[in-house]
Amino acid sequence: MKYLKNTAKILFFLTVFVVIACGNVGLFLPVENEEPAVSITSVTKGAVLMPEDTFEVSVDFNREEYFPDRMVIDLRDSGGEVLFSVELDQDGIYELPLPVALPPDLDDGVYEVGVTVFQEGEEIASSEALFFFVTEEYQIRAITAYPQIFYPGGKGLVIADLDIPENSNPYLRWSAEGTEIYAGPLMNGADRLQLDVPDREGVYSIRLEIFPFEPGGFYGGSGESETAEGEGVPGYDFFSFISLEAQFFVSKTQGGSEGELGPERDYYSLFHFRGEAVDWGYRGTGNIASPVGTPILDITRGVFGFRFDGSDGFTVDELLLPVEDGYVQPFSYSARFVIDAHEGIVTAMRDGRNAPVFSMGFLDGKLTATLLGTSSSVERLFYEEVGAELTLTVLPGDGEIRYLWFVDGVLLGDDRASYEPVQIAPGGLTVIGGAGGMLGIVDELGVYYRLTDAGPETDADVFLRAMERSYGDDLVFAEGFDGTVLPDQVVFSGEEESYTLDGGSLFLPAGTSIAFPSIGLDFDSLVMEIALSGESREDGGTAEAGGQAGIVLRESSDDTPLYDLSGDVVELQDDSILTVTIGVTDNGFVAAHGEKTYPIGTIKDGIDLLIENRGENGELEIKSLLIFKNRTQSNTETPH
């Protein structure tokens, strides 16, 4: 047996941990590109070896012209120092190929194998090959693109999910369509990359390579790569054995996601900020906002969008508020963001005379909105570094304006102020972020306004969006009565328009009821949470509390009663959540309210839900209805 300085047994077998091997790279490559007279093969350049791995040394030569009589195999560290060496005589050379094992006490790092062949004291051939030695695996689990579909000419963010040793700092190299576009160490943020998306629609690929250690010493680099800090350093001139390629799609057709602001046809102005600044609202018709500074893409706490640093942002040469005959109409302003601090302006709007019209931002730590000389402020509605959706519904009227503040579907503020309508000059300017702007990530921003036969409508899906994000596919139905009219799928029984929608609640007069859409039977369990209140409505004292809630479940096909709380009528005093659970047993369906259960038996087609005000007088205030399946009770605070 032969040893490298009596420590390494010479064996044969090479196992390189490969995530995706490059097509142009084999496990064994000749050192010279042209066919040399004497050809040496050793460790493959760029191989990633682990303690049990070995490599093979061999030499090929014309035996009629060459008679090598000595070979030296060196193992060198990144500084070029020879750590171990073994010498073969002519008999050993003729016994090649020869397997080589690495020393058992080798540290993680970059090494080089040098092989030199001699004949009669003169060197006739030599080779050097760099390799990486690691004691733990390096892998790329996935490359994730944000958004899933890139917009032509916009920006995209790709993030690598790595499985690497703790406290390691590998060198990452990104390339697209065969061209290197970025390289640098992980500690400089090289695991995420903002892309300039091509202008043409199509399918593109991006490739990520991991080198366990940064270039240095005899790395064998050529050219320079740009690190995250902008410093030019020589990069590796070979492919990595640890790599992954992913495809991304570029299209003007952008798919929405659950809980996203929409539909776009109902928004006067709407920015999704999916790597682009396109106004998707019906006013914008695809116009693109102009950048201020250099907004960059970022994602944190599941919120993806543009990060503003107090100076970055976007501008639009127009007032992004609905104006009819020169007067601002009722609207809902919504923004999804993560804030780093309670300071800075989110949005500011001016008219064609440069007069301030509307603003939203933080003032003295409070979230503050202003409209034409009026203002409304609320205490901190959300925490820093936590994603939230803010919706402010503004209802300007004759002599009074009303501000309704919602956060993640819950009404947390209701302000009224004196208001005198002011005529708005055409034109204007809207700034999102910008100088003195917010600190954080803006995911979406929109202004909702619909003009229907019934009049102006504001956003009625505030509660629904929040529940879609919370419950996903388990959500069956959600209604928060956030709008100015009842949704089409909710049917009121009583004198026409005798009900009242006010402040994110539905007020049912005595002796009336509402019915909701039929519920299918594709569930193991179903929970209905009805948020109710027995308090008087704040409308000058004309409405009385004291309504009594009755819950009725009926068979969808023929209105057969299935369940009725007639013997357990809920008499409301304060805010409360009335919960009814439906489960499936061997004997059929069972309903439960509180600690009591009620056998229902067989249900043929589906379930209809009715909520009744069984009181003799007074209104029943319904704040929200939430129906979800296959989960336990949500145990949330009373919505609104």
Side-chain angles (χ1 to χ4, degrees), residues 8 20 41 53 67 111 130 156 158 162 169 202 239 250 259 276 411 440 480 495 497-498 518 530 569:
I20 294 183
T41 300
D53 294 332
F67 306 93
Y111 296 90
L130 175 152
V158 289
L162 307 179
N169 183 35
F239 293 111
V250 177
E276 35 70 23
L411 179 66
E495 293 184 12
E497 297 184 358
S498 61
S518 296
I530 308 160
V569 174

Side-chain angles (χ1 to χ4, degrees), residues 366-633:
K366 295 181 180 180
L367 193 58
T368 302
T370 66
L371 180 70
L372 296 172
T374 68
S375 66
S376 175
S377 296
V378 287
E379 297 291 343
R380 297 189 177 193
L381 298 182
F382 33 76
Y383 298 101
E384 296 176 3
E385 299 182 355
V386 176
E389 180 186 303
L390 164 73
T391 296
L392 172 67
T393 293
V394 182
L395 304 172
D398 291 333
E400 184 181 73
I401 188 170
R402 191 173 186 183
Y403 293 87
L404 299 172
W405 296 86
F406 299 86
V407 172
D408 290 333
V410 178
L411 179 66
L412 296 180
D414 186 350
D415 274 356
R416 300 169 190 263
S418 297
Y419 175 73
E420 292 297 331
V422 177
Q423 200 159 27
I424 304 299
L429 177 69
T430 297
V431 180
I432 304 168
M438 65 167 289
L439 304 174
I441 298 174
V442 178
D443 178 2
E444 291 187 282
L445 191 149
V447 175
Y448 184 104
Y449 170 73
R450 291 183 64 212
L451 185 59
T452 66
D453 293 340
E457 287 188 10
T458 56
D459 191 354
D461 293 331
V462 180
F463 183 72
L464 172 62
R465 283 195 304 273
M467 296 305 102
E468 285 176 339
R469 290 194 296 271
S470 296
Y471 290 91
D473 293 339
D474 288 340
L475 181 67
V476 176
F477 185 81
E479 176 56 53
F481 306 107
D482 310 312
T484 54
V485 297
L486 272 181
D488 293 338
Q489 67 266 38
V490 177
V491 180
F492 172 73
S493 65
E495 293 184 12
E496 187 176 356
E497 297 184 358
S498 61
Y499 66 86
T500 303
L501 281 172
D502 183 48
S505 291
L506 169 66
F507 292 85
L508 280 184
T512 64
S513 66
I514 53 171
F516 297 90
S518 296
I519 304 167
L521 303 179
D522 56 337
F523 60 83
D524 297 321
S525 64
L526 192 74
V527 178
M528 303 178 180
E529 293 185 353
I530 308 160
L532 304 164
S533 177
E535 298 179 346
S536 297
R537 177 158 49 98
E538 296 179 2
D539 64 350
T542 60
E544 295 181 13
Q548 291 181 326
I551 307 300
V552 178
L553 301 182
R554 300 186 308 196
E555 171 70 55
S556 296
S557 59
D558 55 16
D559 294 340
T560 300
L562 299 173
Y563 171 79
D564 193 328
L565 282 179
S566 59
D568 193 8
V569 174
V570 179
E571 210 165 312
L572 298 168
Q573 301 299 324
D574 299 305
D575 288 352
S576 60
I577 294 182
L578 179 64
T579 302
V580 176
T581 302
I582 301 176
V584 183
T585 68
D586 294 338
N587 298 320
F589 291 89
V590 174
H593 168 59
E595 298 180 356
K596 297 181 180 180
T597 58
Y598 306 83
I600 293 178
T602 301
I603 302 176
K604 291 181 289 185
D605 295 319
I607 303 169
D608 285 347
L609 167 66
L610 282 79
I611 302 177
E612 302 175 341
N613 182 358
R614 293 176 174 172
E616 296 182 1
N617 52 55
E619 292 180 322
L620 173 65
E621 180 181 357
I622 306 173
K623 294 191 167 188
S624 65
L625 169 64
L626 172 64
I627 304 176
F628 55 91
K629 60 185 178 180
N630 303 331
R631 294 192 185 187
T632 58
Q633 188 175 344

Side-chain angles (χ1 to χ4, degrees), residues 72 166 312 358 429:
V72 178
E166 188 176 359
D312 295 329
F358 173 77
L429 177 69

Side-chain angles (χ1 to χ4, degrees), residues 305-380:
F306 284 102
R307 176 171 289 281
F308 298 157
D309 65 356
S311 60
D312 295 329
F314 295 95
T315 63
V316 179
D317 291 330
E318 191 172 341
L319 180 74
L320 297 185
L321 288 184
V323 176
E324 299 288 346
D325 298 325
Y327 295 97
V328 175
Q329 301 298 297
F331 65 92
S332 294
Y333 169 98
S334 292
R336 294 191 65 209
F337 45 60
V338 173
I339 62 171
D340 297 335
H342 286 78
E343 59 183 73
I345 297 297
V346 181
T347 308
M349 303 185 191
R350 292 179 173 270
D351 69 4
R353 293 189 299 262
N354 200 34
V357 177
F358 173 77
S359 69
M360 171 70 73
F362 295 95
L363 181 63
D364 297 329
K366 295 181 180 180
L367 193 58
T368 302
T370 66
L371 180 70
L372 296 172
T374 68
S375 66
S376 175
S377 296
V378 287
E379 297 291 343
R380 297 189 177 193

Side-chain angles (χ1 to χ4, degrees), residues 171-185 190 193 195 205-209 211 215 221-228 231-240:
Y171 184 78
L172 279 62
R173 183 167 69 193
W174 297 86
S175 57
E177 305 302 314
T179 301
E180 180 181 319
I181 55 177
Y182 181 88
L193 177 67
L195 300 172
S205 59
I206 189 166
R207 184 181 187 86
L208 173 63
E209 300 170 85
F211 302 88
S222 64
E224 290 191 346
S225 298
E226 190 71 14
T227 70
E231 298 175 355
V233 297
Y236 291 113
D237 63 353
F238 51 84
F239 293 111
S240 172

